[in-house]
Amino acid sequence: MVKASSQQTPKGDTPVRQDFKVALDLFREAGADDAAIEFMRWYVLHDRLSFPVHNTYLFTHTGDNELSVLHPAFRLWRDRMTRQLLVSSYEPDPLNWGYPGYKSWEKALLDHGVDERDIHSVFHPQDQGLNTNSEAIAFVAFAKERRIKEVAFISTIFHQPRAIINIATVAMRNYPNLRIQSIVGDVLPWNEKVKHSQGTTVGTRRELVRSEWDRIVRYTAKGDLAPIGELKEYFSSRDVEENRVRL
C-alpha cells in the first residue's frame, strides 16, 4: 500500500497538452493506424470536462500510477465539475497486489478534502479478479442498476485508450444509453519504470504504451473489444444526443 497518495498535495495544474502528442506518437510507433489515432485524438485524450457531470469513475491503478488518477479526481470534485467520485470496491489479495484497494483510495481522497458523502464504492466481486475488462463489466452493471446516464472516466494516459475502449464496448453491448466522457489523468514522467496491471507488468510508462496497444489489438481480434469504427459511431451518436439535450 502506497502512502504517497494521502501525503502529497494535489497540484493545481492540468496535464500539459504536449503530452497528448507524445502519447499519440508513441501509439503510432506501436502500430496504431490513422483511424485509431483519430479516435484517440477526438474521443479519448482530453484533460478537462467540457461540462459538469454528476459521476466520475476512477480506473484502478498500482501505487506507482495512482496519483495520476487521484489528483485530477480531487480537482474535478473541488471545482464542482463532478459531485460523486466512484471507486472500485476491490481490495488487495495474494493474487492481485496492484491496486492498493478501495479503503486506501477512499482515505487518500478524504485526506485531500473530499467529503465522505461524495465517495462511493462500485461493487466488484473479489473472486473474479481485477482487470480493465472486469472493471468495465462491474461498472456498467452498477450504472445500469442505478440508471446512471452519464459518467466521466479517469485513467493514466498510457492506459486511457484501452480503458475508454473497454468501457464503451461493454456499455454498447449492455447499456447503450450510458454517455461516456474521457478525462486523462495527470501525466507522470514517461521514462520512470513502474508496475502496471496487476502489479506484474513492469516497464517505463513510455514502454507500456506498446504493451497497451498490443492488448487492444489482441482483445479486439478476440471480440472482447469493439472495432474502432463501431466505437466512433457510438461516440458520434453520444455527441448528437448531448447537443440535443443541451439545446
Side-chain angles (χ1 to χ4, degrees):
M1 186 176 299
V2 176
K3 297 181 179 179
S5 60
S6 61
Q7 293 177 340
Q8 297 188 24
T9 302
K11 300 176 183 177
D13 55 343
T14 53
V16 181
R17 287 184 178 272
Q18 68 183 27
D19 278 306
F20 295 174
K21 182 179 185 303
V22 171
L24 289 171
D25 288 344
L26 289 172
F27 273 103
R28 190 182 294 279
E29 290 174 10
D33 60 15
D34 289 345
I37 294 296
E38 180 185 26
F39 173 77
M40 292 182 203
R41 178 181 292 115
W42 284 104
Y43 298 113
V44 178
L45 297 181
H46 301 287
D47 64 357
R48 56 180 59 84
L49 296 175
S50 55
F51 48 82
V53 296
H54 191 75
N55 299 286
T56 295
Y57 180 76
L58 287 60
F59 264 98
T60 65
H61 278 282
T62 64
D64 290 343
N65 292 305
E66 64 178 353
L67 296 184
S68 175
V69 176
L70 291 169
H71 284 176
F74 164 76
R75 290 196 302 268
L76 288 172
W77 179 86
R78 178 198 64 193
D79 296 341
R80 298 185 178 278
M81 292 300 290
T82 196
R83 294 313 309 156
Q84 307 290 327
L85 299 180
L86 309 178
V87 181
S88 173
S89 68
Y90 201 86
E91 293 293 349
D93 63 55
L95 299 179
N96 190 326
W97 289 104
Y99 170 48
Y102 175 79
K103 292 178 182 177
S104 175
W105 276 26
E106 179 189 39
K107 182 179 185 303
L109 292 169
L110 290 172
D111 288 349
H112 286 346
V114 178
D115 191 314
E116 64 179 350
R117 294 171 297 181
D118 294 332
I119 305 171
H120 300 274
S121 66
V122 174
F123 176 69
H124 190 295
Q126 283 289 132
D127 60 353
Q128 291 187 10
L130 182 69
N131 55 55
T132 303
N133 188 53
S134 68
E135 269 194 88
I137 292 171
F139 180 82
V140 170
F142 174 90
K144 186 175 183 179
E145 180 182 351
R146 289 158 179 77
R147 299 182 180 179
I148 293 172
K149 296 296 186 182
E150 190 170 67
V151 186
F153 293 91
I154 308 177
S155 190
T156 193
I157 190 168
F158 63 83
H159 179 253
Q160 188 82 2
R162 183 160 67 94
I164 293 300
I165 289 172
N166 212 147
I167 198 73
T169 298
V170 177
M172 288 164 58
R173 296 171 179 175
N174 297 282
Y175 187 33
N177 290 333
L178 183 66
R179 293 194 295 272
I180 294 168
Q181 284 205 66
S182 172
I183 181 162
V184 176
D186 285 357
V187 180
L188 303 177
W190 283 106
N191 293 318
E192 181 181 9
K193 184 170 287 189
V194 296
K195 291 182 179 180
H196 178 47
S197 193
Q198 288 75 46
T200 58
T201 302
V202 179
T204 66
R205 294 186 180 92
R206 181 180 295 270
E207 293 168 342
L208 290 173
V209 169
R210 181 172 295 276
S211 171
E212 284 296 309
W213 177 249
D214 288 345
R215 293 185 191 196
I216 291 172
V217 172
R218 186 165 67 252
Y219 298 156
T220 301
K222 288 175 59 180
D224 294 340
L225 298 179
I228 294 297
E230 292 182 19
L231 292 163
K232 289 176 69 175
E233 290 182 10
Y234 171 74
F235 279 93
S236 295
S237 63
R238 176 210 66 176
D239 290 346
V240 170
E241 176 63 15
E242 286 175 355
N243 289 334
R244 184 189 68 80
V245 170
R246 288 171 173 77
L247 285 177

